[in-house]
Amino acid sequence: MKISELKGRVPEKLYEGLVAHGLDELRPPQAMAIENGLLERKNIVVSSPTSSGKSLVAEIACIKNIVEGKGKAVYVVPLKALASEKYKEFIKKYPFVKTALTIGDYDSDDRWLANYDLVITTSEKMDSLIRHSVPWLSCIGTLVVDEVHMIDDPHRGPTLEVLITRLRNFLNSCQIVALSATINNAKEISDWLGGVLIKSDYRPVELKEGVYFNGVVDFNGIVENVGEKSAVPEIHLIKDTIAKHKSALVFVSSRRNAEGLAKKAGPAVGNMIGAEEKVQLEKLSRQILKVLETPTKQCQTVAECVKNGVTFHHAGIVAKQRELIEDAFRNRLIKIICCTPTMAAGINVPAFRCIVRDLKRYGGGYMDWIPVLEYKQYVGRAGRPGLEDLGEGITIAKSESDKETIKEKYIDGEPEEIFSKLSAEPILRMHALGLIASGEINSFDRLVDFFSKTFFAFQYQDISRIKYKLEKVVDELFEFGFIKKEVKMILPTLIGKRVAELYIDPYSAYNMLENLNKSNQKPMYYLQTMCSCFEMYPLLRIKSSELEVFNNKFFDFEEELPEVPSPWDTEYERFVNAFKTSLLFLDWINENGEDVLYEKYGETPGALRNHLYIADWLVYAMEELAKLQGNKKDLTPLRKLRTQIKYGVKEELLNLLRFEGVGRIRARKMYDAKIRTVADIRKAPAEHLAKIVGKKTSEKLKKQVVSGTDEQKLLM
Ligand SMILES: Nc1ncnc2c1ncn2[C@@H]1O[C@H](COP(=O)(O)OP(=O)(O)OP(=O)(O)O)[C@@H](O)[C@H]1O
Ligand SMILES: [Mg+2]
């Protein structure tokens, strides 16, 4: 179908936008969606391979509906990084639509969103917005769910499922467009949504799938040599990729493997790169090093690898560095990325070749084959539309029989079906409270009725299992004091309402409330309480070799911790792991650098940022709960702890951090030079101050303390 056939059928501005973007022909899944009612506001589920162009189907629905006054559009994606990528794309492609991005702060109603027509967000953030009763909910006319197969994810899937059920429940005329990877039961999803299924095998670039064994690649019976042999199969394939002037993503099972392979492949790749590119790579390497104020060992490893045109990519790397790597790979400066599954999650980084080195992964106590769906997502990234007319997906076999298994299971195999993961108790607890707190549900029958509309109920045609668990969960919420029962009604208590808004697990909240009551106001006490929350999972683990060290540490902190369970208690292991995680935070606020944390705990810069983000949210929640308890004694220590966690500083630096231009490093330098108060800054000769914090900051500081400034305002 030609784009020109859309003229007159979609708003002029949208049509012009598509043409201006250089689109000429609609791809088969897109044309099928249009022929099957996309423009008539039917619910549509598109299930097609990676890079087949699913997004455009969603875009057409959103923009058409907005321009025609059919309400706001909400575009839900599974990852924050994906949301930012989508946002950038939308504002560039459709500048006439007021588009907003919201991904942070779960305790806010984001009033400003009322003025926007298109809201790009994650399922957790959207769920939290509903809990804050945002007034524009009823104005949603289009809901897009990108990567809807995520329903299968044990951690994130249930929130997505509840979100869709909730919105469908109170929006009568909302068009739903759900986009999915190729899964076996996409029809089940579209039947659940009362929509039309668009299923297509279309790929913009042909994909050749093959298995490497014994120095050659077997592409469905056609054997290809891959250049000069090398002892390590993946290095052999990497060198062949470079020799062909192409690029490759190599998928491995863990962060450590990704780093190890990038280091190992470095010299071989580096030798094959020209001098001019080497200069550019050196420049990129310096840029990567500059991202953090004090580069860690990991930053140095990334920077070193990049010099050879090969690097690693995983969630432990700081977001800014990941972006630099992705851009350089798109521009063909970086040739090889060794990566973990994060890379396959919808981010637009196509490569000529996708090599899946590890088809087995450790889980449940043994090594097991990864799902076919996952394999298809990896190799599906192969092929660069418009640049190459072929992509290659290559796996590595260890034996002849291994090769046959891979062919049968993965290359000729069908992706699995997806299954609802809604029945886990902590998940039901969280969402049951959310529904009761918003006033949407006010009786047990209605709660069961709500869950009977979920994908879980649709898929299993039986909710007795959930009903039984809901009874338990409601009793628990009642015991925690978060809901009250009146005749046949279930109503939220004030504290239950607040817990739901704070977007924390009810059990975490209950534990916080209990501990706050008995608090000794020591940082370690709060840290341990915080690390006992589900939100902080997975915790750092104590290895058996470390057990003795940590047992001794317990004695050092015995007085400061909440009640320690006995070593025979089932809770003990969890407590010890939470303790180790708390010590990580304690070291951080005692101003240990990221390098020390990496050495001591194996904490990468990316993981640290993620931990700090969760910690900020949980300490904030504790502060809010303390307020609700009327508990003044915990408030100031919690407020201080939150700032200490944010900056990674001891308490003594907090006053200095209030000055504009002063971060953890400058504050420490000033403090050590005995410049600690407004009066000290006033008194310090300008040149002396400039020597400590630099000329610009020194001038800024002097301006902030001009005589007459209220000292109280500046200091805590
Ligand atoms: N009709 C079209 N003509 C030319 N290019 C197109 C067309 N439709 C989409 N594209 C381009 O194809 C690329 C992939 O599209 P898109 O991101 O929508 O893939 P997807 O199906 O969502 O894949 P994934 O499973 O990776 O999320 C984009 O760069 C997009 O601009
Ligand atoms: Mg997509």
Side-chain angles (χ1 to χ4, degrees), residues 23 25-27 30 49-55 147 348 381:
L23 297 187
E25 186 104 24
L26 285 170
R27 291 176 169 173
Q30 300 163 348
T50 309
S51 300
S52 54
K54 296 183 281 288
S55 315
E147 317 268 340
N348 204 1
R381 302 251 140 242

Side-chain angles (χ1 to χ4, degrees), residues 100-230:
L101 170 72
T102 178
I103 45 182
D105 191 0
Y106 292 146
D107 187 26
S108 166
D109 61 3
D110 286 356
R111 261 153 220 257
W112 57 280
L113 288 176
N115 299 321
Y116 287 81
D117 295 321
L118 178 69
V119 178
I120 301 175
T121 185
T122 60
S123 43
E124 285 78 12
K125 176 67 193 187
M126 191 60 211
D127 189 19
S128 80
L129 286 171
I130 297 180
R131 286 163 187 243
H132 284 86
S133 316
V134 287
W136 47 265
L137 274 186
S138 56
C139 310
I140 300 173
T142 320
L143 170 68
V144 175
V145 185
D146 198 2
E147 317 268 340
V148 70
H149 56 270
M150 284 286 297
I151 281 188
D152 193 64
D153 183 282
H155 305 288
R156 319 262 322 273
T159 302
L160 181 61
E161 194 180 329
V162 170
L163 175 71
I164 299 172
T165 312
R166 250 176 131 165
L167 287 174
R168 284 185 76 202
N169 232 5
F170 58 74
L171 294 173
N172 294 326
S173 59
C174 174
Q175 180 179 21
I176 301 178
V177 179
L179 313 176
S180 167
T182 30
I183 49 171
N184 227 343
N185 57 339
K187 179 83 172 68
E188 210 169 7
I189 299 265
S190 69
D191 286 348
W192 172 52
L193 295 176
V196 184
L197 173 66
I198 306 297
K199 201 173 166 76
S200 161
D201 293 331
Y202 170 82
R203 283 188 50 90
V205 182
E206 188 198 332
L207 173 68
K208 252 173 54 172
E209 287 170 87
V211 190
Y212 174 102
F213 178 61
N214 220 1
V216 293
V217 183
D218 182 342
F219 287 105
N220 209 8
I222 301 167
V223 174
E224 274 185 28
N225 283 317
V226 276
E228 197 188 322
K229 210 172 160 184
S230 173

Side-chain angles (χ1 to χ4, degrees), residues 106 198 210 255 262 362 416 506 662 675:
Y106 292 146
I198 306 297
R255 296 177 186 187
Y362 192 77
E416 296 77 6
V662 178
I675 300 177

Side-chain angles (χ1 to χ4, degrees), residues 32 152 160 172 229 353 381 421 455 463 503 559 627 667:
M32 281 157 76
D152 193 64
L160 181 61
N172 294 326
K229 210 172 160 184
R353 199 175 253 179
R381 302 251 140 242
K421 299 290 188 294
F455 183 58
I463 65 154
Y503 209 62
E559 299 288 300
K627 275 186 206 163

Side-chain angles (χ1 to χ4, degrees), residues 202-331:
Y202 170 82
R203 283 188 50 90
V205 182
E206 188 198 332
L207 173 68
K208 252 173 54 172
E209 287 170 87
V211 190
Y212 174 102
F213 178 61
N214 220 1
V216 293
V217 183
D218 182 342
F219 287 105
N220 209 8
I222 301 167
V223 174
E224 274 185 28
N225 283 317
V226 276
E228 197 188 322
K229 210 172 160 184
S230 173
V232 183
E234 53 273 27
I235 303 275
H236 188 187
L237 286 167
I238 288 174
K239 276 166 69 179
D240 176 65
T241 311
I242 307 286
K244 290 192 163 102
H245 303 286
K246 302 281 189 187
S247 58
L249 297 173
V250 190
F251 290 95
V252 296
S253 59
S254 71
R255 296 177 186 187
R256 190 190 293 237
N257 284 340
E259 281 188 47
L261 181 58
K263 279 195 228 161
K264 200 149 83 183
V269 177
N271 277 337
M272 298 171 81
I273 290 179
E276 213 170 281
E277 283 195 317
K278 278 265 168 97
V279 175
Q280 287 181 52
L281 285 165
E282 289 275 346
K283 201 170 140 204
L284 174 66
S285 167
R286 285 194 295 275
Q287 250 179 311
I288 285 178
L289 260 191
K290 264 199 266 166
V291 168
L292 291 185
E293 226 173 11
T294 1
T296 65
K297 227 181 219 161
Q298 188 191 260
C299 299
Q300 278 155 2
T301 315
V302 180
E304 269 313 300
C305 286
V306 161
K307 287 183 189 165
N308 282 322
V310 43
T311 188
F312 52 96
H313 182 292
H314 55 60
I317 297 178
V318 191
K320 181 71 200 152
Q321 289 176 339
R322 283 206 304 257
E323 256 173 52
L324 286 169
I325 293 172
E326 286 160 20
D327 284 344
F329 188 77
R330 281 189 204 108
N331 298 332

Side-chain angles (χ1 to χ4, degrees), residues 405-475:
T405 312
I406 294 173
K407 269 184 169 176
E408 205 175 298
K409 183 172 170 66
Y410 292 105
I411 299 184
D412 302 331
E414 288 282 321
E416 296 77 6
E417 300 194 349
I418 61 159
F419 292 97
S420 166
K421 299 290 188 294
L422 193 61
S423 67
E425 244 170 71
I427 286 161
L428 290 175
R429 190 165 55 209
M430 173 99 178
H431 290 296
L433 181 62
L435 287 160
I436 297 166
S438 65
E440 223 172 303
I441 299 291
N442 59 9
S443 72
F444 186 72
D445 289 346
R446 291 188 69 169
L447 192 62
V448 176
D449 187 46
F450 176 87
F451 281 94
S452 70
K453 291 178 188 148
T454 57
F455 183 58
F456 181 94
F458 187 81
Q459 191 164 40
Y460 294 102
Q461 296 291 317
D462 170 25
I463 65 154
S464 55
R465 189 149 51 114
I466 282 200
K467 194 173 169 188
Y468 168 74
K469 285 185 183 175
L470 282 174
E471 272 167 12
K472 243 173 102 180
V473 160
V474 165
D475 283 347

